[in-house]
């Protein structure tokens, strides 16, 4: 019985967190959508962000963002405000970002620029290139976790994703 009560408490806490996150996203969407294509895009600074509601593998997410005239999220070097904006809106979900070491073995953004992001954003012990997936190979693609840090994961995993594009003129 105590196990069931604990499960209910965890579910209630997850729902509370989700409602809080959605309320915040709605307030931002209503206040900041001008300058962005479509109502699902959220403006922050000089860019527009799409927090997907559907899941894809990393390559599909990258291609989808490019079809929208955007990139899978690239967090600008040293932008604490952008990091806080993105991670606050991402909670309590996990989202692919445009970071991979799949091609060169070095972490690079989807636009092929070097990753110079502060290591403090990675989760403890990450990236670890864990090899225990049922799919061949290790973890070569990065995502933002529900704990507001970055983790590497197998690129074939399906999850939500964040696109970032220019603000409309």
């Amino acid at each position: 019985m105590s196990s069931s009560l604990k499960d209910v408490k965890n579910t209630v806490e997850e729902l509370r967190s989700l409602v809080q996150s959605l309320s915040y996203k709605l307030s931002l969407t209503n206040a900041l959508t001008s300058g962005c294509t479509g109502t699902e895009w959220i403006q922050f600074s000089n860019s527009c962000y799409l927090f997907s509601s559907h899941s894809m593998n990393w390559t599909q997410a990258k291609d989808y963002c490019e079809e929208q005239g955007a990139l899978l999220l690239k967090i600008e070097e040293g932008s604490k405000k952008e990091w806080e904006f993105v991670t606050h809106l991402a909670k309590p979900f996990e989202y692919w970002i445009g970071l991979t070491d799949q091609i060169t073995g070095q972490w690079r953004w989807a636009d092929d620029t070097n990753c110079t992001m502060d290591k403090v954003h990675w989760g403890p012990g990450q990236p670890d290139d864990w090899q225990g997936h049922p799919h061949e190979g290790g973890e070569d693609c990065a995502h933002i976790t529900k704990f507001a840090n970055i983790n590497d994961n197998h690129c074939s995993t399906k999850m939500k994703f964040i696109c970032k594009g220019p603000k409309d003129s």
Side-chain angles (χ1 to χ4, degrees), residues 20-33 42 89:
Q20 182 182 19
S21 177
L22 287 172
S23 295
Y24 181 75
K25 288 176 186 178
L26 280 173
S27 70
L28 279 176
T29 301
N30 292 337
L32 301 175
T33 52
I42 301 170
L89 288 181

Side-chain angles (χ1 to χ4, degrees), residues 117-129:
M117 188 180 345
D118 192 339
K119 287 281 191 190
V120 73
H121 295 307
W122 286 92
Q126 298 301 325
D128 63 0
D129 197 29

Side-chain angles (χ1 to χ4, degrees), residues 21-157:
S21 177
L22 287 172
S23 295
Y24 181 75
K25 288 176 186 178
L26 280 173
S27 70
L28 279 176
T29 301
N30 292 337
L32 301 175
T33 52
S34 63
C36 296
T37 306
T39 57
E40 67 277 6
W41 289 80
I42 301 170
Q43 181 183 335
F44 177 77
S45 191
N46 290 321
S47 299
C48 294
Y49 299 79
L50 173 69
F51 290 76
S52 75
S53 58
H54 55 286
S55 298
M56 296 181 176
N57 70 39
W58 190 89
T59 303
Q60 291 168 332
K62 178 183 175 290
D63 292 346
Y64 179 87
C65 291
E66 289 172 359
E67 289 168 8
Q68 307 306 308
L71 292 172
L72 200 52
L73 178 66
K74 174 183 179 181
I75 299 172
E76 296 305 321
E77 180 182 354
S79 180
K80 182 178 177 183
K81 289 184 185 238
E82 182 181 30
W83 175 256
E84 290 172 353
F85 165 77
V86 168
T87 55
H88 187 81
L89 288 181
K91 288 180 186 175
F93 301 107
E94 299 190 339
Y95 290 89
W96 284 125
I97 61 173
L99 195 55
T100 183
D101 70 348
Q102 190 171 30
I103 296 169
T104 66
Q106 301 294 313
W107 287 100
R108 299 181 66 79
W109 293 106
D111 67 359
D112 204 34
T113 57
N114 287 328
C115 173
T116 54
M117 188 180 345
D118 192 339
K119 287 281 191 190
V120 73
H121 295 307
W122 286 92
Q126 298 301 325
D128 63 0
D129 197 29
W130 187 60
Q131 300 287 320
H133 292 277
H135 308 288
E136 191 173 309
E139 298 178 322
D140 295 316
C141 295
H143 67 99
I144 293 177
T145 73
K146 62 183 177 182
F147 304 109
N149 56 31
I150 299 174
N151 179 54
D152 56 337
N153 204 332
H154 198 279
C155 300
S156 67
T157 303

